[in-house]
Amino acid sequence: MSVDPPSSGRPTGPPSGPLSGPSEPPSGPPSQPPSGGGGGGGGGTPGGPGPQPWWRSVPRIAVITAVVVAAVVVAVVLSRGGGGSSDTAADGEVFLQAADKEGPDPFTESTAKDSTTERATPSAATESAPSNAVRGVDGGAAGLYGGTRDVASCDVEKQIRFFRDDPDKNKAFASVAHVEPSRVPDYLRSLTPVQLRLDTRVTNHGYKDGVATSYQAVLQAGTAVLVDDKGVPRARCACGNPLTPPVPQKGTVRHTGDSWPGFRSSEVVMVMPAKEPVDEFVIFDDEHDEWIARKPGDDVDKDKKTERPAKPSPSVSVSPPTSPGTETPTTPGTSTPGTSTPETETSEPTTTEPEPETSTSQPPPDGGTTTTGSASTGPETASSSL
């Protein structure tokens, strides 16, 4: 019986014992099988096949191993697909969005009614800030938002009509907001229209190629937004984009896009959810130089004048980061036309909210860059650099 030579997947060296025999059976009685030979031994039936030699199992083992490795690779790729937080966190790019600009890949036309308000100055933290600290403000803090009495900063019903006319965008928006597509109108009406009074870090979501994409952004003070009942921005009115809290950044933060006069990365904040749902948002009406109380929801007809708060500037506090991957201060980079170089450089805040599984991460569009380092932190809970 002839034996085929081993394939390329088998050991290059032959095993002990002959691998081939004479083409004709020997005339005499069969001799004892050689030790380790291809005929097998150790309990086989005389004249019958013995146990299969070990080297003949090598190709099968190799195939099984390759299949397992391929399955693991596919699982890893699928597990990372859609969320986008890993890529976003790694590249360190943050897009600056001016209040009156639509921005990249908008969901809808603008529904903002006003994008001007008096910029607030956050109160200074009482404790010293470590170099990799980040800043945060409570979503229910008085003076965090602005607006005009009895005037909504965003036309919610117009926003709803835009989505009704485009079911695909409606579905993509719903996937980020974690609501059923049929519930988008109710969801939007439950949000409160206000204007930012601080440059605010968020995860913005554009609409491209039929899906929601995500990128890190800083929204300029004056931007009209819709906030939930804990004060967290959930939609940007100038483009209809859904918003979620920011995600951590690794490495040096690079600001791109359109800067604005007065931008300081050291004054950028993130909004932390209020501990309890807000009964009334105390906002500043700079048009009438008065403070007003606004009930949650889109019905601003219930606005009423209220007393000036004891602390009219939103409070920030500082705490060391609680996760690895911190920023270190760097020398400010040069700006290209359309951007400005901050005088004080910082990195931004962190959040534990995951990216929606239905969105894909994309870097912001090309623009001028400003290199930043570290920043100060979130309200009364520890947070890490973003």
Side-chain angles (χ1 to χ4, degrees), residues 89 132-134 246-251 319-327 347-352 377 381-386:
N132 56 2
V134 292
V247 299
Q249 296 292 284
K250 298 177 181 177
S319 54
T322 56
S323 62
T326 58
E327 315 287 334
S347 68
E348 268 89 28
T350 190
T351 180
T352 56
T377 73
T381 57
S383 53
S384 64
S385 61
L386 286 181

Side-chain angles (χ1 to χ4, degrees), residues 273-315:
K275 294 180 180 179
E276 299 291 338
V278 178
D279 292 328
E280 290 182 333
F281 290 99
V282 178
I283 64 180
F284 182 66
D285 181 351
D286 63 321
E287 182 175 340
H288 301 100
D289 192 23
E290 64 182 16
W291 290 86
I292 60 177
R294 176 168 292 177
K295 292 286 187 181
D298 68 329
D299 185 5
V300 299
D301 292 338
K302 298 177 181 178
D303 287 353
K304 60 183 180 181
K305 187 176 179 179
T306 190
E307 297 295 323
R308 175 187 174 91
K311 294 182 178 180
S313 295
S315 297

Side-chain angles (χ1 to χ4, degrees), residues 47-86:
Q52 186 172 347
W54 66 269
W55 65 86
R56 294 190 179 182
S57 300
V58 171
R60 183 181 303 171
I61 295 173
V63 170
I64 294 174
T65 302
V67 171
V68 172
V69 171
V72 171
V73 171
V74 170
V76 170
V77 171
L78 291 178
S79 67
R80 294 186 60 184
S85 59
S86 296

Side-chain angles (χ1 to χ4, degrees), residues 33-249:
S35 126
T45 304
Q52 186 172 347
W54 66 269
W55 65 86
R56 294 190 179 182
S57 300
V58 171
R60 183 181 303 171
I61 295 173
V63 170
I64 294 174
T65 302
V67 171
V68 172
V69 171
V72 171
V73 171
V74 170
V76 170
V77 171
L78 291 178
S79 67
R80 294 186 60 184
S85 59
S86 296
D87 293 338
T88 303
D91 64 19
E93 190 169 15
V94 178
F95 187 68
L96 302 180
Q97 291 193 279
D100 59 347
K101 298 293 182 64
E102 188 177 68
D105 305 325
F107 265 72
T108 67
E109 296 177 19
S110 176
T111 59
K113 292 184 177 181
D114 192 5
S115 59
T116 59
T117 191
E118 181 182 272
R119 177 185 294 272
T121 301
S123 63
T126 55
E127 66 270 41
S128 61
S131 62
N132 56 2
V134 292
R135 300 165 68 86
V137 293
D138 187 277
L144 176 59
Y145 297 117
T148 303
R149 184 175 177 179
D150 299 330
V151 177
S153 57
C154 182
D155 190 333
V156 173
E157 293 304 316
K158 185 177 180 181
Q159 188 72 60
I160 291 171
R161 288 195 297 271
F162 278 140
F163 283 130
R164 280 178 176 168
D165 293 340
D166 197 326
D168 291 336
K169 288 183 177 180
N170 184 78
K171 183 178 180 181
F173 182 95
S175 70
V176 178
H178 297 293
V179 298
E180 293 294 327
S182 62
R183 303 295 296 174
V184 168
D186 291 338
Y187 172 75
L188 290 172
R189 293 187 183 108
S190 74
L191 303 177
T192 307
V194 292
Q195 295 175 54
L196 301 176
R197 296 185 72 223
L198 297 170
D199 295 339
T200 304
R201 174 73 180 278
V202 297
T203 297
N204 202 341
H205 298 77
Y207 182 81
K208 187 175 183 179
D209 299 329
V211 297
T213 63
S214 66
Y215 58 92
Q216 297 305 292
V218 174
L219 306 183
Q220 182 188 11
T223 299
V225 294
L226 298 173
V227 301
D228 64 18
D229 63 353
K230 292 191 175 182
V232 179
R234 293 300 179 182
R236 183 173 183 263
C237 304
C239 53
N241 290 3
L243 305 174
T244 56
V247 299
Q249 296 292 284

